[in-house]
């Protein structure tokens, strides 16, 4: 088998892994990232494994990455709610109608969007720190933060009109 055929086989396996991870519940981008990371890990260790064990090993690494990510996201949501719920109760004690609208609107956002807002405004993290912690480029975080604030404003406005 020549190198080009070998590379095509690895890329096919990577696409199959991404498809499998999507079936497990991963988002498209997450599944593709995990498949790519798993493929890079496979390339690092391919000399230590026989060819017939490469595909199962690739899938095992990919599935483990997905499960680790799932656990991390679940735990992040739990931590966010543990920290955020007391704040919401404290705000509602002030009996401001905007508070209730904010709470309902905030909870409709995705976990990632909630995390961004919490890190930026509750924990007062800089964009640089958030980028490091979330392993994301600063520019994409700025864009995502802008879109999240805009989405939150829109949801709150819709709820106020009701």
């Amino acid at each position: 088998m020549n190198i080009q055929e070998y590379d095509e086989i690895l890329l096919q396996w990577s696409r199959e892994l991404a498809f499998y991870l999507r079936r497990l519940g991963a988002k498209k981008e997450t599944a593709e990232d995990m498949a790519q990371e798993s493929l890079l890990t496979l390339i690092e260790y391919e000399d230590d494994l026989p060819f017939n064990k490469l595909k199962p090993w690739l899938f095992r690494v990919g599935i483990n990455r997905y499960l680790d990510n799932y656990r991390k996201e679940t735990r992040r949501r739990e931590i966010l709610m543990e920290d955020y719920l007391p704040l919401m109760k404290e705000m509602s004690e002030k009996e401001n109608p905007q508070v209730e609208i904010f709470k309902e609107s905030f909870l409709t956002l995705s976990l990632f969007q909630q995390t961004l807002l919490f890190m930026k405004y509750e924990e007062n993290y800089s964009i640089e720190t958030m980028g490091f912690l979330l392993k994301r480029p600063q520019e994409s975080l700025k864009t995502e933060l802008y879109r999240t604030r805009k989405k939150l404003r829109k949801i709150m406005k819709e709820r106020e009109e009701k």
Side-chain angles (χ1 to χ4, degrees):
M1 172 183 327
N2 66 32
I3 293 176
Q4 187 176 6
E5 290 172 342
Y6 182 72
D7 287 345
E8 287 184 29
I9 290 171
L10 290 181
L11 288 175
Q12 178 59 33
W13 290 351
S14 177
R15 285 190 292 270
E16 290 174 15
L17 175 60
F19 178 76
Y20 183 75
L21 293 175
R22 294 227 25 225
R23 289 186 66 215
L24 289 178
K27 293 181 181 175
K28 181 180 180 185
E29 296 81 19
T30 305
E32 290 171 354
D33 289 345
M34 288 182 199
Q36 183 178 12
E37 290 172 13
S38 301
L39 186 60
L40 291 173
T41 305
L42 173 74
I43 292 170
E44 289 178 28
Y45 292 101
E46 69 185 337
D47 294 336
D48 300 335
L49 298 166
F51 182 77
N52 64 339
K53 303 235 175 175
L54 290 179
K55 186 175 181 180
W57 191 86
L58 174 69
F59 272 66
R60 178 53 34 210
V61 170
I63 291 168
N64 286 342
R65 284 184 190 275
Y66 171 71
L67 293 174
D68 289 345
N69 186 57
Y70 178 79
R71 287 185 201 112
K72 182 174 79 176
E73 291 297 322
T74 302
R75 183 65 186 137
R76 186 179 289 161
R77 179 178 287 269
E78 290 172 1
I79 290 170
L80 181 63
M81 285 301 143
E82 287 172 5
D83 292 341
Y84 185 70
L85 285 177
L87 177 65
M88 288 173 53
K89 288 179 183 174
E90 178 184 315
M91 289 174 68
S92 65
E93 290 172 0
K94 297 176 183 175
E95 295 183 21
N96 186 345
Q98 288 291 102
V99 172
E100 194 62 37
I101 293 171
F102 172 76
K103 284 192 287 186
E104 292 171 0
S105 303
F106 182 82
L107 293 175
T108 63
L109 298 173
S110 71
L111 172 63
F112 182 70
Q113 292 171 328
Q114 291 176 6
T115 303
L116 281 179
L117 291 175
F118 187 80
M119 290 175 80
K120 180 68 178 166
Y121 298 107
E122 194 59 34
E123 296 295 324
N124 296 319
Y125 287 146
S126 66
I127 296 292
E128 294 82 21
T129 304
M130 291 170 61
F132 176 76
L133 292 174
L134 298 173
K135 298 178 183 167
R136 299 274 305 262
Q138 294 177 19
E139 294 305 316
S140 72
L141 284 177
K142 288 179 185 177
T143 302
E144 187 65 34
L145 201 52
Y146 169 77
R147 289 177 181 161
T148 301
R149 286 191 304 260
K150 188 174 176 181
K151 182 178 179 180
L152 183 62
R153 273 189 229 110
K154 180 181 174 188
I155 294 169
M156 288 180 68
K157 186 176 181 179
E158 289 172 357
R159 290 183 186 272
E160 285 177 354
E161 292 172 358
K162 289 183 180 180

